[in-house]
Amino acid sequence: MNIQDTLSSTEQKVDNSEKIKIYLCGVTVYDESHIGHARTIIVFDVLRKYLENKKKEVELIQNFTDVDDKIINRANDEGIPAHEISKRYIENYFRDFDELNIKRATNYPKATEHIEDIIEFIKKLIEKGIAYASENGVYFSVSKFPEYGKLSKKKIDELKSGSRIQVDETKKDPLDFAVWKFSDVEPTWESPWGKGRPGWHIECSVMSMKYLGGNFDIHGGGRDLIFPHHENEIAQSEAHSDGKFAKIWMHVGMVTIAGEKMSKSLGNTKSIKYVLENWGPNIIRLFCLSGHYSKVIDYSEEMLKENLTKWRQVETCYYELIHANNVEQENISEKIRNISTEFDKSLEDDLNTHLALSSFFELVKETNRLAASEKLGKENSIIIMKEFERISKILGLNIPKINQEEKEEIDSLISNREKLRGEKQFEDADKIRDQLNEMNIELMDHKGKTIWMKKEKIQKDC
RNA sequence: GGUACUCUGGCAGAACGGUUAUGCGUGAGCCUGCAAAGCUUAUACAAGGGGGUUCGACUCCCUCGGGUACCUCCA
């Protein structure tokens, strides 16, 4: 499998000879997660599920930044301790992402639980003369790392001239960034240099190394993390251990809304909670996977609606497979095998989920075509279903399940309706159809038989 | 100003030198008691503008232009 690497600007082969180690920069837990966060995490979820489907072992580490100015500010606003803010939003995180059908990472390390490791890491940087303590904190000396700028393709002198931030006079160089900030505002920790808290970038260097070792396979996150976050991580990690850091840097494009980046600071975010309530997990996933992960996608109700239509087709396909019992059948093994191969091929090539979805819809279409022409038999459906389920699992799509009791009720209502239709009592038959509709059961009348499907309840689908 | 990404049909979006996939939308038809769903079929004097390389370019090169992101916290 190849993935476009931001550092080398080329596609790199994922070395999957042994366990594949992935570090994903997660969220700072100070507010509701939004659809932009969802996209990045869904992309990595698909990557992971695809690799696992290939029987590869994947170790996915995703951090929570749980110490940060924003968390502290919010805590002050609400008059509660910072850890309660982070605790609340970590809970919200799992509420949202579990519902989005994200497989939980191997581990979710938190910055506050790795303060000792962070201090040790900084100690070594200081010993090597790469970091220094000054009045306000401990800083990483960018000039000691000649390759600084290699990820974001920035030249150090250009950064200097373009620097808009207020220069902290206690730094040796305006580009130097904090690895430890002195502070008396809680939360703080003691350190050999003074009381304070870690800088933002250091946690990822420390935790990725701790859990995955120095040279792991893929390091990912949103594009907006390239600079300064990932640039600084590389500097810290490679300066610390003198070895190459992550092998592949994979960055997911932003989600815009009306052409503008969705971000908390712009106040134009759509929270996952909101989108889940209105559209449900499957449509969000289809939407997030509808373009190449590296590109921008624009959030709009129209796009979600389009994906709702697609999702209904997928549901139809599933229920056609469940109910398949035609006698006459076509030989479809080869066709399905080709679809399966194409699907994999698309993902192998830089996780092209859009193309992969095309293959999936081909399978859906083929199934529905067979059903329409009364040529979808049991053997066919077993072959197709196997692939349908494999693909659904990789993409993280989930048909709502139905329990036995519900099923029996539906079957009995349908047979009543069939009886009434046979007697041409259409008004009463239609009443039953309406009744089923209210249960989100949709009937599809085929020649000689009626099959049903349970539609996922979508708020916006009215 | 710098860097990166991006510009393909009404919309979304692939193809990485060789009949513009796929989905949505729209039109027509089939199916149906009627619906719904589904199926069939049609839908670009086109590829941001202009050059070039090539037998042939969406795909490579140059140039001009638009958009977005990053350069400050951000998935």
Side-chain angles (χ1 to χ4, degrees), chain A residues 292-343:
Chain A
H292 188 92
Y293 74 83
S294 64
K295 291 189 185 175
V296 171
I297 53 171
D298 198 55
Y299 174 97
S300 70
E301 297 266 310
E302 288 70 37
M303 277 305 111
L304 288 164
K305 207 163 183 177
E306 179 175 326
N307 283 295
L308 166 66
T309 311
K310 293 180 186 178
W311 179 239
R312 292 302 186 212
Q313 290 180 338
V314 173
E315 287 179 316
T316 303
C317 167
Y318 176 81
Y319 282 98
E320 291 287 6
L321 289 172
I322 295 255
H323 295 285
N325 66 352
N326 291 129
V327 180
E328 197 187 334
Q329 295 196 51
E330 279 179 26
N331 187 351
I332 41 91
S333 315
E334 198 186 333
K335 203 170 257 172
I336 299 303
R337 213 164 29 239
N338 288 342
I339 288 173
S340 176
T341 309
E342 282 301 309
F343 179 87

Side-chain angles (χ1 to χ4, degrees), chain A residues 19 24 69 87 89 127 179 234 238 244 275 317 338 370 439:
Chain A
K19 182 155 76 177
L24 175 60
D69 288 347
K87 181 169 174 277
Y89 289 108
E127 273 166 30
V179 291
I234 292 180
E238 297 193 352
K244 197 172 173 275
V275 188
C317 167
N338 288 342
L370 288 170
M439 299 162 65

Side-chain angles (χ1 to χ4, degrees), chain A residues 61-280:
Chain A
I61 303 296
Q62 182 186 325
N63 71 304
F64 281 121
T65 299
D66 63 345
V67 53
D68 170 88
D69 288 347
K70 285 187 173 167
I71 297 172
I72 293 164
N73 291 343
R74 179 127 194 183
N76 289 340
D77 289 348
E78 296 193 20
I80 56 174
H83 69 262
E84 287 193 19
I85 296 291
S86 53
K87 181 169 174 277
R88 180 203 301 163
Y89 289 108
I90 287 172
E91 280 168 10
N92 280 3
Y93 175 91
F94 286 118
R95 175 202 68 198
D96 289 342
F97 284 86
D98 285 348
E99 196 178 338
L100 276 174
N101 196 19
I102 303 293
K103 180 170 179 183
R104 292 232 181 164
T106 315
N107 205 339
Y108 292 94
K110 301 183 189 80
T112 58
E113 291 171 359
H114 295 80
I115 301 295
E116 283 308 310
D117 300 308
I118 289 171
I119 289 171
E120 287 307 309
F121 195 100
I122 297 172
K123 265 188 196 164
K124 186 161 174 197
L125 288 178
I126 292 178
E127 273 166 30
K128 293 179 94 171
I130 295 158
Y132 59 91
S134 86
E135 202 180 308
N136 294 326
V138 180
Y139 291 93
F140 183 94
S141 188
V142 166
S143 62
K144 296 280 168 59
F145 188 72
E147 290 182 300
Y148 192 78
K150 67 177 175 179
L151 180 73
S152 54
K153 317 282 184 269
K154 291 184 192 305
K155 302 214 165 46
I156 290 189
D157 7 328
E158 279 163 7
L159 276 170
K160 277 179 186 160
S161 56
S163 183
R164 282 190 263 140
I165 43 166
Q166 223 179 355
V167 178
D168 177 349
E169 296 299 332
T170 69
K171 292 198 283 188
K172 288 182 184 166
D173 185 312
L175 290 183
D176 293 350
F177 56 89
V179 291
W180 188 265
K181 294 175 174 174
F182 296 148
S183 169
D184 286 321
V185 182
E186 290 304 321
T188 59
W189 291 264
E190 293 297 339
S191 85
W193 317 283
K195 206 163 98 169
R197 59 176 186 271
W200 173 36
H201 319 294
I202 195 79
E203 67 181 68
C204 289
S205 288
V206 169
M207 298 192 295
S208 61
M209 186 170 293
K210 174 166 179 173
Y211 291 94
L212 300 175
N215 187 219
F216 53 93
D217 299 288
I218 301 174
H219 191 127
R223 291 206 87 87
D224 52 351
L225 295 184
I226 293 174
F227 190 89
H229 186 56
H230 287 162
E231 192 69 70
N232 291 356
E233 268 188 60
I234 292 180
Q236 290 163 349
S237 299
E238 297 193 352
H240 175 94
S241 56
D242 295 315
K244 197 172 173 275
F245 193 34
K247 290 175 187 159
I248 295 175
W249 288 87
M250 178 175 171
H251 290 105
V252 180
M254 297 293 100
V255 176
T256 60
I257 179 160
E260 251 189 342
K261 180 186 168 184
M262 186 181 286
S263 79
K264 288 168 186 170
S265 36
L266 288 171
N268 60 355
T269 60
K270 292 283 174 189
S271 73
I272 296 174
K273 183 167 184 278
Y274 166 84
V275 188
L276 272 171
E277 277 167 3
N278 285 286
W279 299 93

